[in-house]
Amino acid sequence: MIKKKSTPIIFMLLMLGITIKTYAQKEIGNIKAEVKAIATVSENKILLRWGVTTPTAWKYANKYGYIIERKTIAVDKEILTKPVIKQLIPIPLKPYPMMEWKEFSEENNYAALAAQALYGEEFDVEMNEGGDGLLSIINKAQVIEQRFTFALYAADQDFKVAKFSGLAFVDNTVKPTERYLYTIRVALPEEKKDLIKAGGVYLGLLDKKTLPEPQEFVGVFKDKTVILSWNQVILKKYYTNYIIEKSEDEGKTFKKLRGTPVATLGEKEKNPSNRMMYIDSLSQNNKTYSYRIKGISPFGIEGPYSKIVSGKGIKPLTHTPFITDVKLNSQGGVLSWEFPSEGIRTLSKFKLVRSNTPKGKFLTVIDNISKNKRSIKIENLQAINYYKIVAVGNNGGTRESFPKMVQPDDSTPPAVPTMLNGTIDSLGVVRLQWKQNTEIDFLGYRVFKANLKTDEFTQMTFEPIPNSTFIDTVNIKILNKKIYYKVQAFDKRYNPSEFSEVLELNRPDIVPPTAPVFTSFKSDKGRVEIEWISSTSNDAQSTVIYRKEKGVKEPWQMLKSLPLLQNKFIDETGIVGKTYLYTALTIDESGLESEPIVPLKITVLDNSPKPSIEKFTGYVNREERYIELKWNYKETKVKEFVLYKAEEEKKPTMYKVFKVDTNKFKDRNLLINTKYTFLIQAIFESGAKSPLNKIEINY
């Protein structure tokens, strides 16, 4: 029987207990019970791994086991209309019985941890006097959460442990051209089947991918120690732990470090680190050691090695030099420093380094300065210099002095600012920019502004600004439409440059122009002619004509943008017989648009002459009391015929409308002894009309 107090388990509990306990108690209660699955391809088989999300689901799964179902979804990249379903295991998959863990747990700490979580004795929590059943329930819940977390952690670290725990399966019956959907669910009884949601994963042998190489592997070598670190976040979905190997013969042979593989035991909730770290001890300094790492996936597959990191342990110097004085002369100067006498025996030499800024990159100016010297000549000084004295130890370790600024006399101003340009937006925000000065002793710029080019310029910057950009605001609701700027550069001795060229900017126009006014229109022969009075705004630039078909849901179509002086437009693109809406607006020099004017409704007409109707005749039949009218018309594109009628001494009125295929009509609406006038006219699809053809008949 596996005891909860066995040595490997006690070790793991001490190492992992605090981290895992905190995670379990805080997160598990908010997670939905379901199966989460992953899979990978290895040679000619597919490896499956899964787990459940809550302690209760884990307890049910251990009792009832898992069912693994495989659906063949595609063959040779063709989706099957009816997937082939196969149960991969005859009975639900459960953790191995307790006795089968014994030998495995004696040689594998993760197996011992998983076995303890599954079959170990209860963790009894004693209660204070006066305690009640509620505390007992809480304690038992905490124990289940800890067992659940330990079991899943151990399975993640070793694929064989996962198989023993009933959380892994290898499918050897796969085919190279097929893709499968695997579904893993807990074999719950019918009344509990909805308690735990099933999980799944889709892949085939063609989805095989190589594992990535560990990235950003670095080593920081110190006194008989090295701190190794690598980016574990970008590899989190590939690896659960890492093997670290060490070489003491400059990379010829490597040996795995004791205590590895190493794993991430948990992450901080706030400001989590992207890197994983490992500290190794070195047997001696000044000897080259090399390291490399490789990851192990949740399926027990080892990935490729990282790049090799090499270095030597270095005992740091314990004393630091200090620059005491700099005396300048016409040739340059002399720099002096101090160094404690008790540190001389560990010192190899000094070197002088220089930079343009106190935090910039320092380059060696003079090397191999005797450890007994305390001053050195400096030459070729630039406008601003920062110097450090570096003490170099016998073992290569270094200690640096604080930087010392050395600045010779300077009366040369910086270059004049150039390429000044800027913009003003509709809110009056001014954005200026110009070419950045590159002098080493450059300090900054002052910006000046005026409303008139002849006015005295006002300084806008309280102190010199280091960047070649400036943001200002101006009032855009004034009559003066222009604003003026210029810039001056200063060095760290406050030597001023000449002013830049003056920049003239236009204040934005925020008042739209007035709209045009339609005065007349004409539609004839398929053309529409429109006239208007143009906008009277001073900055008006053009008139734009728009059109859309009446009654049709479509956007307005721009027909033409015309110069302001032009006030007539002819549209020849309309379709005869259709009715259009026309509108217009004005655009000014700033691109502002007026409101569009009230649209005109115009029908495109074709009033070109048409021939009259031929052979319009009438026949009187007094016996049957009717007048029969007949006509003949051979023109095309006729829409209809209109018949007008009038009694003697009366005006004709529209009497009948006939379809185009009608050519006769019997009128029985008659009075005896009455003279009638009939007129007929053809109406064309374009709206054009033929002349009226007239006959008179006595009835």
Side-chain angles (χ1 to χ4, degrees), residues 464-483:
I465 58 174
N467 299 321
S468 58
T469 58
F470 181 71
I471 296 178
D472 189 25
T473 56
V474 295
N475 185 0
I476 57 177
K477 296 181 180 179
I478 61 175
L479 294 177
N480 186 5
K481 295 297 182 182
K482 298 184 181 296
I483 191 76

Side-chain angles (χ1 to χ4, degrees), residues 14 97 107 141 282 332 353 512 514 516 534 543 572 611 642:
L14 289 174
E107 63 184 31
L282 308 176
V353 296
T514 59
S534 298
T543 304
E572 297 180 323
V642 179

Side-chain angles (χ1 to χ4, degrees), residues 287-307:
K287 177 182 176 180
T288 300
Y289 295 90
S290 300
Y291 293 87
R292 66 185 183 185
I293 63 170
K294 61 181 176 180
I296 303 177
S297 76
F299 304 94
I301 301 173
E302 296 182 0
Y305 284 107
S306 68
K307 293 184 173 71

Side-chain angles (χ1 to χ4, degrees), residues 144-389:
I144 294 174
E145 290 180 2
Q146 295 243 7
R147 287 177 181 272
F148 163 68
T149 309
F150 288 149
L152 264 61
Y153 171 79
D156 277 344
Q157 309 312 310
D158 191 301
F159 189 70
K160 187 175 179 181
V161 173
K163 290 178 70 176
F164 268 62
S165 301
L167 299 175
F169 181 78
V170 179
D171 185 4
N172 296 302
T173 62
V174 292
K175 296 180 180 179
T177 58
E178 296 180 346
R179 278 192 167 87
Y180 309 98
L181 174 63
Y182 292 91
T183 303
I184 299 108
R185 65 178 184 274
V186 179
L188 295 169
E190 186 65 25
E191 66 274 10
K192 297 179 181 179
K193 66 177 182 178
D194 296 329
L195 292 179
I196 306 171
K197 184 180 177 181
V201 63
Y202 175 74
L203 82 167
L205 291 180
L206 294 175
D207 297 314
K208 184 177 182 179
K209 296 180 181 178
T210 57
L211 291 171
E213 176 184 309
Q215 299 294 311
E216 302 175 21
F217 182 46
V218 296
V220 179
F221 290 83
K222 296 188 176 183
D223 185 17
K224 293 186 178 181
T225 60
V226 59
I227 302 174
L228 303 171
S229 71
W230 59 95
N231 192 323
Q232 59 96 10
V233 169
I234 59 177
L235 304 174
K236 191 175 181 181
K237 66 178 181 179
Y238 299 104
Y239 300 124
T240 53
N241 47 42
Y242 296 87
I243 292 175
I244 305 175
E245 295 183 358
K246 178 179 181 181
S247 172
E248 298 189 18
D249 55 6
E250 298 186 351
K252 295 177 183 177
T253 59
F254 283 87
K255 294 181 181 179
K256 187 173 78 170
L257 292 180
R258 292 185 62 186
T260 66
V262 295
T264 303
L265 303 181
E267 294 182 359
K268 295 187 294 183
E269 294 179 12
K270 293 184 179 179
N271 302 319
S273 174
N274 291 339
R275 304 191 66 80
M276 192 169 180
M277 303 183 70
Y278 185 89
I279 300 176
D280 187 34
S281 61
L282 308 176
S283 58
Q284 65 183 74
N285 288 328
N286 300 318
K287 177 182 176 180
T288 300
Y289 295 90
S290 300
Y291 293 87
R292 66 185 183 185
I293 63 170
K294 61 181 176 180
I296 303 177
S297 76
F299 304 94
I301 301 173
E302 296 182 0
Y305 284 107
S306 68
K307 293 184 173 71
I308 295 174
V309 168
S310 300
K312 298 178 180 180
I314 299 175
K315 185 174 182 179
L317 287 172
T318 56
H319 300 87
T320 304
F322 176 74
I323 297 176
T324 57
D325 189 26
V326 178
K327 293 182 178 178
L328 298 176
N329 53 45
S330 59
Q331 288 77 35
V334 177
L335 184 144
S336 302
W337 68 93
E338 294 179 353
F339 189 79
S341 58
E342 58 269 25
I344 293 294
R345 61 184 179 84
T346 62
L347 186 64
S348 170
K349 64 179 180 179
F350 293 108
K351 63 179 179 179
L352 179 69
V353 296
R354 181 200 168 279
S355 176
N356 292 329
T357 62
K359 294 183 179 180
K361 183 179 181 180
F362 281 80
L363 301 177
T364 301
V365 178
I366 304 175
D367 200 355
N368 296 318
I369 303 173
S370 171
K371 66 179 182 179
N372 297 315
K373 292 194 70 172
R374 296 295 179 269
S375 64
I376 194 77
K377 289 183 179 180
I378 51 177
E379 299 174 336
N380 301 320
L381 297 179
Q382 299 186 25
I384 292 182
N385 309 267
Y386 288 89
Y387 287 102
K388 289 181 183 179
I389 287 291

